[in-house]
Amino acid sequence: MGHHGRMHAQPGVGLRPDAPWGYLPASSFRSRRSALSDAQRQTWERLWPQLGRQADTPPGETPDAPLDTGAWFGRSAPLVLEIGCGSGTSTLAMAQAEPDIDVIAVEIYRRGLAQLLCAIDAEQVSNIRLIRGNGVDVLKNLIAPQSLTGVRVFFPDPWPKARHHKRRLLQSGTVSLIADRLLPGGVLHAATDHPGYAEHIGEVGDAESRLVRVGSDTESLPISISRPTTKYETKAQEAGSHVCEFVWKRI
């Protein structure tokens, strides 16, 4: 799964000057071949048509209109988008803790989504839907402006080498796009254990004029920012990594 569901772009992916949001990471991702177990495959075949969908548009077709989330979830509720959900440990726990909130989990790797699908099935959780694809494509093509109550980005790939920094998900262009998709009062919640990326995330988030950093007053936020500690995070802490948490609110 990589680094808590981190997404790896293809080599040679450069800037896209035509992108309306300034820089956006390119959406060409290579998919790791990770076989599903028989049980995972059976659950996938049974539940994916109802609970999952692909993000990308086939060549020659126009991008999809924004999702009709009311029809997909069968109700009208505050909506949270989690980008890079990995195997969905945090996704599941947070959705269970807030049954009145609908969660869309985005991930490139089918295996992580299959693990989450099996957990959803075992726990009979009804407020999670899954999208396989790149989070930026989802934000651009499937999410309407001012429709999200929250966006969660936990442990995105830090791309530590300087020449790869442009592949990081949280750039000013993506943060601008997230701000556009959040409702007033909506929350961007990010976490990383990579010090260089933490500094970068802090800078791009604070530079976005529509977002304001939330301090200790988290009681008034429309969604919980209480994250479960994942196995990945425990390992990182044992190795001496410090986890930086960021919360911004759209003004």
Side-chain angles (χ1 to χ4, degrees):
M1 186 54 53
H3 190 90
H4 188 74
R6 285 182 170 164
M7 302 187 294
H8 295 266
Q10 288 178 338
V13 167
L15 300 182
R16 286 176 37 201
D18 60 321
W21 303 96
Y23 169 74
L24 290 174
S27 57
S28 54
F29 287 90
R30 61 182 160 75
S31 191
R32 291 182 185 158
R33 298 192 194 291
S34 49
L36 304 188
S37 70
D38 287 345
Q40 284 173 339
R41 193 164 48 251
Q42 285 164 6
T43 303
W44 182 280
E45 285 166 5
R46 182 163 49 88
L47 292 181
W48 182 258
Q50 172 198 347
L51 301 182
R53 56 161 298 155
Q54 288 283 136
D56 49 348
T57 310
E61 290 185 23
T62 51
D64 292 333
L67 286 167
D68 181 348
T69 53
W72 203 15
F73 284 91
R75 66 175 184 175
S76 174
L79 188 65
V80 168
L81 186 74
E82 184 183 354
I83 301 176
C85 66
S87 57
T89 314
S90 302
T91 318
L92 187 78
M94 294 176 89
Q96 285 176 305
E98 295 186 297
D100 295 338
I101 287 175
D102 288 339
V103 178
I104 294 177
V106 182
E107 177 54 61
I108 294 286
Y109 300 116
R110 191 165 83 126
R111 188 145 181 219
L113 291 168
Q115 286 172 289
L116 178 53
L117 213 48
C118 289
I120 289 169
D121 190 36
E123 303 273 335
Q124 290 296 295
V125 176
S126 62
N127 60 329
I128 302 174
R129 299 291 181 271
L130 298 84
I131 299 181
R132 186 177 182 196
N134 172 8
V136 175
D137 288 345
V138 173
L139 283 163
K140 271 201 315 190
N141 302 328
L142 299 178
I143 303 294
Q146 296 197 30
S147 64
L148 297 174
T149 299
V151 173
R152 291 171 175 152
V153 185
F154 300 149
F155 304 102
D157 196 316
W159 292 104
K161 291 180 179 165
R163 69 176 185 272
H164 292 156
H165 285 182
K166 62 181 177 285
R167 295 186 193 166
R168 288 172 168 175
L169 173 71
L170 291 173
Q171 309 279 359
S172 57
T174 318
V175 171
S176 168
L177 181 53
I178 288 169
D180 183 79
R181 299 312 194 235
L182 284 171
L183 287 156
V187 172
L188 168 57
H189 180 193
T192 182
D193 65 315
H194 187 276
Y197 200 6
E199 196 177 326
H200 176 81
I201 292 169
E203 283 168 9
V204 295
D206 289 341
E208 171 52 56
S209 60
R210 289 165 292 179
L211 298 178
V212 61
R213 186 89 71 113
V214 175
S216 54
D217 174 33
T218 57
E219 291 299 307
S220 61
L221 295 177
I223 57 168
S224 167
I225 55 161
S226 169
R227 282 187 310 105
T229 304
T230 61
K231 276 189 295 195
Y232 162 74
E233 194 174 341
T234 305
K235 275 187 203 156
Q237 285 169 338
E238 284 166 1
S241 294
H242 171 66
V243 174
C244 289
E245 205 100 21
F246 299 92
V247 182
W248 285 276
K249 184 166 72 171
R250 170 151 180 186
I251 48 182

